[in-house]
Amino acid sequence: MSSAAPQSPSNGANDAWSPSSWRSKPVAQPVIYPDETKLKGVLDKIQKLPPLVSPGEIERLRHQLIQVQNNQAFLLHAGDCAESFEACTQENISNKIGLILSFSLILIWGARMPIVRIGRIAGQYAKPRSSPTEKIKGEDGTVKEVPSFRGDNVNGLSPNDREPDPQRLLSAYFYSTTTLNYVRSLLASGFASLNNPRDWSLSHVRSPALRNEFETISNGLADAIDFCRTIGAEPSFVGGAAFERGGAHGVLSDVDLYTSHEGLMLDYEEALTRNLPIPASVLATQASGIQAPVSTSAPYNTSAHFLWVGDRTRQLTGAHIEYFRGIRNPIGVKVGPSMKPDELVQLLDVVNPSREDGKITLITRYGADKIDAHLAGHIEAVQSSGHPVIWVCDPMHGKYARLLVALGVEALLIKPLCLGSTLTSSTGLKTRHFSTIVSEVTSCLRIHTECGSRLGGISLEFTGELNEEGFSVTECLGGSMELSEEQLGLRYQTSDEAEEELASWQN
């Protein structure tokens, strides 16, 4: 049976909240289904299915995000721009997790700070669009208008499969479950062990210098582990026996990796919102006066540990903010050039009126050419308001470009590279040099320092998918693949393999 309907959370909001109260607000990016009866049947079925994640896991993430907020850890948010059902394979998932682990290892090594890992995985199937329809040129040369492709959980990529199908929401649930199950299996069986970081996916890295740099880190780590063994450190710390031979889990083999997606499809999110008991340890902490007391149960979104609201759906009086203000999960808010400083503070007042630590992550996405004009004003407004937030830089969105890049060690080490800009290659493809991404990160660090603030994390888009030649997505010049203009077309992927899709896939 499905869980009882969640009650209004004790979040200080004036209006009563329920998982369905968003239905009374205007919905941005709506999906119009031709058969509402079929939609209701699918949602009823999803509501009876088991949660994908548990309150204990969500509360553990909240605790770790408080550490990020207090400068005791750093947040890495990474994964696909948009997942596809077709890409749900053993190889792709393993490669993606390997990239996240490689990325986090470099951050740990360089920053000497714990890393909180949140993947854009196991649910990131929908994307917002700039227009509900698009014009497609057929094989006979005629142009017809069809609904825009909204992601695999809404409709199909083929122009003949664009009618929204509620059954795809159910498919999304099961693909998410399959992905999460395999991720859990990988992490529980030693895949993340620091005893063998070379097993993680780096096959796409063509730069000898970058490969050598990662090898230096791996060798240094191996030496440190050997030293611990030599002086008789606790076996559970250095790994002890292998997992397959009965070895216990230890700090070198265990990692937390949380799931996330944009909370775009509110019908789906409502169906997976459950009123569940808050773990006893959390209630005990709240009772001690460290945090304001709440009821013994709360509405958890059980589709993912972490959800974010996009730049196109963050209207203060809209349906998405209404939904997000009520769930207990930690949430992210995309902040771009169109966000006014006072509007940002008003939004924080709505989604976190009790000013709970670790609740809100602000994911800034300006573009290297606009960050200087906007970030400082946003920081100062939040500082003046007293709201506790985590600041995260999303350097993947620039004007006209959707950027997915695979692991680039230079971005993590923040090497000083020349500035780049959006450009059109000699082959006519819109692209951007990898150094532009690095430029936005370094600018973000500088501005936070100047404002007496701190960058708490980074949000990146990359994929574990490789073609037969070992190329990942080829949309950025340079980077770890040392991509040239001539190689842009090898795996230049967009939502429908058409250049006009680029801007519409930004969130």
Side-chain angles (χ1 to χ4, degrees):
M1 295 178 64
S2 61
S3 303
Q7 302 302 308
S8 301
S10 300
N11 62 5
N14 293 326
D15 300 326
W17 181 92
S18 74
S20 62
S21 60
W22 63 269
R23 296 180 180 276
S24 65
K25 308 288 184 179
V27 180
Q29 298 285 319
V31 174
I32 308 301
Y33 291 93
D35 189 338
E36 288 291 330
T37 301
K38 184 178 179 181
L39 173 63
K40 183 179 184 304
V42 168
L43 295 174
D44 287 345
K45 186 175 294 186
I46 292 174
Q47 192 172 24
K48 297 173 184 177
L49 290 169
L52 274 72
V53 300
S54 70
E57 293 171 334
I58 294 170
E59 295 295 344
R60 183 176 176 86
L61 174 58
R62 282 181 60 126
H63 174 76
Q64 293 180 2
L65 289 175
I66 291 175
Q67 293 178 318
V68 173
Q69 182 184 306
N70 294 334
N71 198 22
Q72 298 170 340
F74 190 81
L75 173 60
L76 171 61
H77 183 226
D80 278 312
C81 172
E83 294 177 278
S84 67
F85 294 165
E86 185 180 52
C88 182
T89 68
Q90 173 186 347
E91 181 182 21
N92 288 339
I93 296 170
S94 298
N95 286 345
K96 194 182 306 180
I97 299 304
L99 284 172
I100 292 174
L101 293 173
S102 301
F103 229 126
S104 61
L105 173 60
I106 297 168
L107 285 170
I108 292 170
W109 187 261
R112 294 299 194 268
M113 181 176 285
I115 302 301
V116 178
R117 306 166 187 83
I118 302 179
R120 298 170 57 116
I121 192 170
Q124 177 59 5
Y125 294 112
K127 295 293 291 182
R129 298 302 304 271
S130 58
S131 173
T133 62
E134 61 182 321
K135 294 182 178 179
I136 299 291
K137 189 174 184 179
E139 294 181 358
D140 60 356
T142 61
V143 176
K144 64 177 181 178
E145 190 170 12
V146 299
S148 296
F149 176 54
R150 295 288 301 272
D152 277 0
N153 63 351
V154 177
N155 54 7
L157 185 59
S158 167
N160 299 320
D161 191 22
R162 293 295 179 87
E163 182 176 278
D165 182 0
Q167 196 65 30
R168 285 179 171 269
L169 292 174
L170 191 61
S171 296
Y173 172 90
F174 285 111
Y175 275 107
S176 298
T177 303
T178 300
T179 300
L180 182 56
N181 179 67
Y182 185 57
V183 170
R184 292 188 193 277
S185 176
L186 279 176
L187 298 181
S189 57
F191 182 77
S193 174
L194 290 180
N195 289 290
N196 49 293
R198 294 177 183 84
D199 292 347
W200 304 335
S201 174
L202 286 175
S203 58
H204 66 283
V205 178
R206 285 172 159 71
S207 166
L210 297 181
R211 277 190 169 275
N212 290 338
E213 199 157 7
F214 188 78
E215 284 296 318
T216 298
I217 293 175
S218 298
N219 291 336
L221 177 63
D223 288 344
I225 293 174
D226 286 341
F227 175 78
C228 291
R229 289 196 180 99
T230 300
I231 63 174
E234 175 65 32
S236 64
F237 171 76
V238 296
F243 171 82
E244 297 81 4
R245 298 179 60 82
H249 289 292
V251 295
L252 296 187
S253 59
D254 278 359
V255 301
D256 291 322
L257 193 148
Y258 302 98
T259 62
S260 73
H261 61 260
E262 180 178 1
L264 190 61
M265 305 293 293
L266 294 180
D267 288 303
Y268 180 81
E269 306 303 345
E270 178 188 339
L272 282 167
T273 302
R274 313 288 168 81
N275 194 58
L276 298 171
I278 299 174
S281 60
V282 176
L283 292 175
T285 300
Q286 292 170 338
S288 69
I290 296 177
Q291 299 234 359
V294 297
S295 61
T296 57
S297 63
Y300 290 93
N301 181 305
T302 62
S303 69
H305 302 103
F306 179 93
L307 293 95
W308 74 87
V309 60
D311 202 40
R312 300 185 184 192
T313 54
R314 56 165 176 75
Q315 294 83 3
L316 288 172
T317 59
H320 288 81
I321 292 302
E322 169 62 21
Y323 173 78
F324 270 75
R325 77 177 178 91
I327 59 174
R328 185 162 170 81
N329 306 58
I331 62 173
V333 177
K334 290 292 183 83
V335 179
S338 63
M339 174 82 83
K340 304 298 182 184
D342 60 338
E343 180 188 5
L344 176 55
V345 174
Q346 292 175 42
L347 191 151
L348 293 174
D349 288 339
V350 173
V351 295
N352 192 21
S354 299
R355 306 195 175 197
E356 299 176 33
D357 290 330
K359 173 70 175 179
I360 305 297
T361 297
L362 298 180
I363 307 171
T364 61
R365 46 172 311 279
Y366 305 104
D369 58 335
K370 295 183 179 180
I371 187 170
D372 279 284
H374 298 282
L375 177 56
H378 288 147
I379 293 174
E380 291 165 2
V382 174
Q383 287 174 330
S384 298
S385 74
H387 273 284
V389 302
I390 297 165
W391 291 97
V392 168
C393 175
D394 174 2
M396 311 303 292
H397 296 89
K399 188 177 181 182
Y400 305 128
R402 161 180 162 256
L403 303 169
L404 290 85
V405 294
L407 178 63
V409 177
E410 66 268 53
L412 296 171
L413 301 182
I414 316 298
K415 286 188 174 180
L417 301 178
C418 61
L419 297 182
S421 61
T422 303
L423 51 92
T424 301
S425 71
S426 59
T427 57
L429 296 176
K430 299 281 187 186
T431 185
R432 194 184 192 202
H433 202 284
F434 191 82
S435 59
T436 307
I437 299 171
V438 179
S439 170
E440 183 164 356
V441 177
T442 53
S443 294
C444 193
L445 287 165
R446 170 181 54 78
I447 294 168
H448 274 285
T449 300
E450 292 171 352
C451 293
S453 178
R454 174 183 174 270
L455 180 65
I458 189 167
S459 180
L460 301 172
E461 292 175 5
F462 54 54
T463 178
E465 299 175 44
L466 300 172
N467 68 1
E468 294 179 357
E469 289 77 28
F471 280 98
S472 185
V473 171
T474 55
E475 296 181 15
C476 275
L477 296 173
S480 60
M481 290 191 291
E482 299 187 326
L483 200 69
S484 65
E485 283 195 19
E486 293 73 21
Q487 295 170 321
L488 275 176
L490 292 175
R491 288 201 80 232
Y492 187 92
Q493 293 187 340
T494 64
S495 61
D496 64 355
E497 303 297 324
E499 185 177 339
E500 62 265 21
E501 294 293 311
L502 288 175
S504 65
W505 275 82
Q506 298 180 12
N507 62 317

